[in-house]
Amino acid sequence: MTTPAFELPSIGTGLPQQPTSFVGRHHELREVRRLLGDHRLVSVVGPGGIGKTRLSVRAAEEYRRAFPDGVRFVEFAALRSENLLSQAIADRLGLETRDGPESSADDILIEYLRNRRMLLILDNCEHLVEGVAALASRLIEETSNLRILTTSREYLAIPGEYVFHLPPLPTHAGTGSGAVELFANRAESALSGFELSDSNAEAVRRICQRLDGLPLAIELACTRLNVLSVEDLAERLDRRLSMLTVSARGRTPRHRSLQATIDWSYELCSETERTLWCRASVFADSFDLAAAVAVCSDDVLSEDEIMEAAAALVAKSVVVRETSQDGVRFRLLESIREYGWGKLNVPERRHMNTNLLEYCAHIIEESTASWYGPEQLARATAVSINRGNIRAALHSVMNDPAEPALVQRAADTLGASRFLWACGISVREHRMWLTQALDLPGVSRTARGRILTVLALVQTLQGDRDAADFTLRRARELAGDREDPVTRSFAVHITGLRDFFAGRPDSGMAYLDEAERGYQLYGSEPELVSMLQIHRGMLLCSTQDVSSAAEAFNRVFTKTDEIGELWFHSYATYGLGHVALLENAPDTAVQRALEALRYQREFADPIGKTVMADLLGWALAAQGHGARAAVVLGAASSMWGSIGQQLYGADHWNTLRERAVHTARRHIGTSAFDAAWARGQAMTAPELLAYIFDEDCTGDEHPVPDRGRFTRATANADTSQLELLSPREREVADLVAQGLTNKQIAEKLVLSPRTVEGHVEHLLRKLCLSRRTEVPRALFST
């Protein structure tokens, strides 16, 4: 099979890339650092445009080395529901959450963060302040070392919160003024060759004072320098602010400053640019040019005009241009987005929400239609990078179901989205939207039946079998034998999966057989047939019918390989690895598990990664790699706990897990096993994959190790925690033991000092050490 051309975004810090340099705020940076040392919850508060987000990002960049478990930046501007606050944080942490009485999203977060020394930055909290306050309060109360930094126009008002009111930039005369420094920096970007001089210094100072040192207002004003001199700019601002002061006496001076600057930017835009500005405000997250055309164009605004207007708005600093592995995307700052949205009347807003829903529905439907083919990963990526916009579109329908056609469109889309949970929309969130869709008025019987079958699949994957049983009964009643026979067959299929996971293989197989006959009779989509074969193979493994299981997996493996499909191929590869393990061929099982994970890591599918990691742990234990097996099994156990029941509660798989745990513990001893298991349990899915494929914590990727590392030939070397280190980390550890500094190690290994610093931090964590002086003892005591 060919190498995938697309990748879903990896789970990283989430810190946004800034298109311009950071200017001033050095005193504020020092103050934030001091506050984070003394307080566990710090809220940076101030009006829109004062630079709260910029300061928090810079603080995270400068101080993240002080947090051994990392920094995570979570943007809340795109959220419209307090129900998704925990999910948004879990997404950034790479965690999967589930509904049900056993655990909530909050519980999963707390369990993960309980003992971690991490900085969590929650950005743009003002529109969800009550929900953020409740969540932050619980996180602080039930964790020991977590630090939280929030940015908001309104503070949370909870015990333990230290409120840091971010002041405007100082506007006094001279180059030492933060406001003047920012103006000079941005003016040089807008007008090449601009320099602060004695002749223009007074006008610059007056501009900064009139704008109250508000960074966003200053940046917007600087874009006018391509047509105005500094003196003209100062004079015009004087007139504008005087008029606004008269017409808006109820507003604070800084609010008037920003309002005046955005008003002026708006007035200086062409009619076409204004139209795009207002319409693009419907996007809650970033968007590309194709999205802007699909959502914003009509007879008034053509595709060519959108391209020209977008370029002009970028030049005017109204729209931010971002470049990433997903290509060029655009984003509106929240203050500017709110301004544009406020310019639309209610009918116009509804029209734009309708367009956004249509665009998002199309993305989801394209993913569904391409799920069994070579475009699968590209379409899954499109869903993932538009997650914020999809949330906004669905939220608009759920909260304003006044248009029947719009409601039906959303219901039809969700009823067809069987694999949305593997495209960046988590299992929990997928379940939430499906549940809410069932409450929408006027949804057709067919759509309701399809929504119910997808909901039953999600509930079954979560291990919530009681809820799934109720949902399946309703689904079969609505689908019937004639109304929607394929949906009814799918409901029967999921009933078989539910019985299989519940430990009833005979009835499970009977239902799968019935579903397969229905698929053949009514001509179902090929992905349903492949899914059924994967489930059949898993069930046959549990009954020790190894040859029949291999036949089922091979059928999917061959067909998917022929067409370049990746997701089902990863499950078929996993299945063949499971067969190999049952046939006492652990080397083959390891190779199959690694291969499956290489495919699976491209998708945001927690179920696949977990079941494949478990297989890898079983096979590593059978090879004699006790420490590596313990890490992988510990991580898989933690991941299962956040999804649902361990190994779906299946006796066969739990027996294999227990056998692998016993084998690994016997190889390395209880103490080493417990330490390795704990290390694994603390890992997120991305961290586990980085460990499996020997990628360091700084993101530098090394080649996948020779599979010989996992063979019996090296089993005898697996006697301590040292095997937890990657080859590069062991190399760095040897040099640390010799007394070399990070700079000397960097020169010797031709790495950057920062990369070496990351290696050292990572190996200290793996070896449970607090100081580098302890490394020699750890290396040479075994």
Side-chain angles (χ1 to χ4, degrees):
M1 296 185 67
T2 57
T3 301
F6 298 85
E7 290 187 16
L8 290 175
S10 61
I11 302 296
T13 63
L15 292 174
Q17 297 297 313
Q18 302 299 323
T20 53
S21 58
F22 184 84
V23 177
R25 299 294 197 194
H26 301 296
H27 169 75
E28 289 86 348
L29 276 173
R30 289 193 298 272
E31 183 65 7
V32 168
R33 181 171 194 169
R34 183 188 70 78
L35 292 174
L36 286 172
D38 296 338
H39 306 275
R40 295 186 57 209
L41 172 61
V42 177
S43 292
V44 179
V45 175
I50 204 166
K52 302 182 294 294
T53 298
R54 196 61 180 271
L55 178 69
S56 69
V57 170
R58 185 67 172 189
E61 291 172 342
E62 290 204 0
Y63 310 142
R64 61 182 176 181
R65 295 298 179 189
F67 299 94
D69 293 310
V71 172
R72 296 293 184 273
F73 182 95
V74 188
E75 167 64 76
F76 285 157
L79 294 186
R80 298 293 180 268
S81 171
E82 292 182 355
N83 294 333
L84 289 175
L85 288 171
S86 296
Q87 187 60 51
I89 299 173
D91 289 342
R92 176 51 56 202
L93 294 172
L95 301 175
E96 180 54 41
T97 59
R98 67 185 294 267
D99 282 328
E102 295 168 1
S103 59
S104 66
D106 290 5
D107 294 332
I108 297 300
L109 283 180
I110 290 167
E111 186 60 33
Y112 178 76
L113 295 169
R114 191 176 303 281
N115 297 308
R116 288 180 181 259
R117 293 177 60 193
M118 177 181 285
L119 174 62
L120 198 60
I121 301 173
L122 309 179
D123 188 49
N124 281 313
C125 301
E126 54 274 350
H127 61 302
L128 300 168
V129 67
E130 291 186 6
V132 175
L135 178 58
S137 180
R138 189 175 174 198
L139 287 174
I140 291 298
E141 288 175 3
E142 300 188 42
T143 64
S144 56
N145 295 304
L146 178 68
R147 293 290 192 275
I148 299 177
L149 179 66
T150 73
T151 72
S152 180
R153 299 178 199 177
E154 177 184 352
Y155 58 89
L156 305 184
I158 58 176
E161 177 189 27
Y162 188 95
V163 179
F164 176 59
H165 292 278
L166 185 61
L169 291 169
T171 60
H172 57 265
T175 56
S177 160
V180 171
E181 183 184 0
L182 178 66
F183 185 98
N185 182 280
R186 301 303 188 255
E188 200 280 330
S189 299
L191 186 65
S192 180
F194 175 88
E195 290 184 358
L196 195 65
S197 63
D198 292 339
S199 62
N200 63 25
E202 177 56 28
V204 170
R205 183 191 62 79
R206 196 163 84 250
I207 291 170
C208 293
Q209 286 183 334
R210 292 298 277 153
L211 295 178
D212 295 294
L214 200 64
L216 179 57
I218 292 170
E219 295 199 18
L220 289 173
C222 284
T223 64
R224 305 274 64 82
L225 292 177
N226 57 352
V227 293
L228 296 173
S229 69
V230 174
E231 290 74 14
D232 288 339
L233 178 60
E235 184 178 343
R236 290 180 181 236
L237 274 177
D238 280 339
R239 291 202 300 269
R240 290 197 63 81
L241 283 165
S242 295
M243 288 187 293
L244 190 66
T245 299
V246 173
S247 62
R249 294 187 183 277
R251 295 174 177 170
T252 64
R254 284 196 291 274
H255 190 108
R256 291 198 297 269
S257 299
L258 182 59
Q259 180 74 24
T261 314
I262 299 180
D263 276 341
W264 193 17
S265 293
Y266 185 79
E267 290 170 17
L268 291 174
C269 288
S270 69
E271 190 61 35
T272 299
E273 292 162 8
R274 293 179 195 173
T275 301
L276 180 59
W277 178 345
C278 296
R279 292 182 179 182
S281 297
V282 74
F283 291 107
D285 210 341
S286 67
F287 57 95
D288 59 16
L289 194 59
V293 170
V295 175
C296 302
S297 66
D298 58 11
D299 294 339
V300 175
L301 194 62
S302 69
E303 179 176 349
D304 289 341
E305 288 174 323
I306 285 177
M307 292 179 63
E308 294 178 5
L313 291 174
V314 169
K316 291 179 169 71
S317 296
V318 172
V319 170
V320 178
R321 182 181 185 274
E322 300 173 335
T323 304
S324 69
Q325 63 181 12
D326 302 310
V328 175
R329 296 183 68 80
F330 304 97
R331 177 173 55 85
L332 277 71
L333 296 179
E334 189 63 12
S335 297
I336 291 176
R337 193 197 70 79
E338 288 178 354
Y339 182 92
W341 193 244
K343 288 289 184 179
L344 299 177
N345 59 37
V346 172
E348 289 171 332
R349 291 182 185 182
R350 283 184 171 170
H351 179 66
M352 293 313 302
N353 279 329
T354 298
N355 288 357
L356 181 63
L357 176 68
E358 180 61 37
Y359 174 72
C360 292
H362 182 67
I363 290 174
I364 294 172
E365 288 167 352
E366 277 194 330
S367 175
T368 301
S370 304
W371 197 249
Y372 194 78
E375 293 297 312
Q376 177 189 64
L377 188 54
R379 301 306 181 192
T381 302
V383 173
S384 178
I385 62 179
N386 282 285
R387 179 170 53 194
N389 295 321
I390 291 171
R391 283 171 170 166
L394 291 175
H395 186 268
S396 69
V397 177
M398 304 301 175
N399 285 271
D400 184 19
E403 180 57 52
L406 205 60
V407 168
Q408 190 60 50
R409 185 78 170 98
D412 288 339
T413 300
L414 288 169
S417 61
R418 300 186 186 103
F419 308 109
L420 199 59
W421 48 270
C423 300
I425 306 295
S426 71
V427 174
R428 177 177 181 270
E429 185 176 347
H430 193 183
R431 177 172 176 168
M432 183 193 78
W433 293 124
L434 291 165
T435 303
Q436 290 186 12
L438 290 172
D439 294 330
L440 289 173
V443 175
S444 70
R445 179 185 178 95
T446 298
R448 195 174 297 277
R450 291 176 179 176
I451 291 171
L452 285 166
T453 56
V454 179
L455 177 59
L457 170 63
V458 173
Q459 291 168 335
T460 300
L461 293 174
Q462 289 183 305
D464 193 355
R465 288 192 283 272
D466 290 339
D469 185 59
F470 176 74
T471 303
L472 285 165
R473 286 201 303 270
R474 294 175 62 200
R476 290 198 298 271
E477 290 170 2
L478 286 175
D481 292 325
R482 297 181 180 179
E483 290 88 347
D484 192 352
V486 171
T487 297
R488 188 184 188 284
S489 295
F490 185 45
V492 173
H493 175 173
I494 303 307
T495 303
L497 182 65
R498 182 211 58 193
D499 278 14
F500 163 40
F501 288 162
R504 298 190 291 270
D506 292 341
S507 61
M509 184 61 76
Y511 282 123
L512 292 182
D513 289 341
E514 181 184 346
E516 185 170 21
R517 289 192 295 270
Y519 289 163
Q520 292 171 349
L521 181 62
Y522 301 112
S524 71
E525 301 95 324
E527 58 263 32
L528 291 183
V529 177
S530 288
M531 190 198 308
L532 188 141
Q533 291 301 325
I534 294 295
H535 294 156
R536 181 184 295 279
M538 291 178 173
L539 191 155
L540 289 166
C541 282
S542 74
T543 62
Q544 300 295 314
D545 191 348
V546 178
S547 60
S548 296
E551 182 181 349
F553 290 132
N554 268 314
R555 196 176 305 165
V556 179
F557 184 93
T558 301
K559 289 183 178 179
T560 54
D561 191 50
E562 289 173 353
I563 64 172
E565 194 275 345
L566 297 173
W567 190 71
F568 284 112
H569 192 78
S570 71
Y571 277 94
T573 304
Y574 152 80
L576 293 173
H578 196 156
V579 167
L581 187 64
L582 294 176
E583 291 180 330
N584 198 30
D587 292 359
T588 302
V590 164
Q591 292 175 14
R592 290 292 195 186
L594 289 171
E595 186 180 351
L597 281 165
R598 287 191 189 95
Y599 292 122
Q600 184 61 222
R601 73 184 307 185
E602 309 296 336
F603 296 90
D605 172 12
I607 310 272
K609 292 182 182 69
T610 307
V611 73
M612 292 165 194
D614 234 313
L615 173 64
L616 178 61
W618 304 342
L620 287 171
Q623 282 184 322
H625 291 290
R628 292 190 69 85
V631 171
V632 174
L633 289 171
S637 175
S638 178
M639 291 159 67
W640 275 116
S642 65
I643 294 167
Q645 295 187 44
Q646 291 286 322
L647 296 162
Y648 305 113
D651 290 341
H652 165 69
W653 284 349
N654 275 294
T655 298
L656 290 174
R657 156 77 70 76
E658 292 168 6
R659 185 184 306 162
V661 167
H662 176 75
T663 301
R665 183 181 283 115
R666 189 180 73 246
H667 274 293
I668 61 175
T670 298
S671 178
F673 177 89
D674 290 346
W677 177 276
R679 166 63 181 154
Q681 284 206 308
M683 290 180 175
T684 63
E687 289 168 344
L688 173 62
L689 289 170
Y691 171 78
I692 289 171
F693 293 107
D694 287 326
E695 298 161 3
D696 69 26
C697 60
T698 64
D700 298 330
E701 184 170 340
H702 305 293
V704 174
D706 189 319
R707 287 188 179 124
R709 287 191 59 191
F710 300 103
T711 64
R712 299 181 187 279
T714 57
N716 292 334
D718 189 8
T719 59
S720 74
Q721 286 180 273
L722 296 183
E723 190 171 326
L724 303 181
L725 304 183
S726 70
R728 175 66 84 185
E729 289 164 353
R730 180 60 191 262
E731 192 174 16
V732 171
D734 288 337
L735 296 174
V736 169
Q738 296 173 30
L740 274 65
T741 65
N742 286 353
K743 183 177 180 181
Q744 292 169 330
I745 296 173
E747 293 173 352
K748 191 174 185 65
L749 299 182
V750 195
L751 297 172
S752 72
R754 188 171 183 175
T755 298
V756 172
E757 185 178 354
H759 281 307
V760 172
E761 287 185 359
H762 206 41
L763 69 89
L764 289 176
R765 287 172 58 193
K766 286 184 176 181
L767 297 176
C768 300
L769 305 177
S770 58
R771 296 185 299 275
R772 62 193 295 143
T773 54
E774 298 172 338
V775 171
R777 175 179 55 80
L779 291 182
F780 305 122
S781 62
T782 59

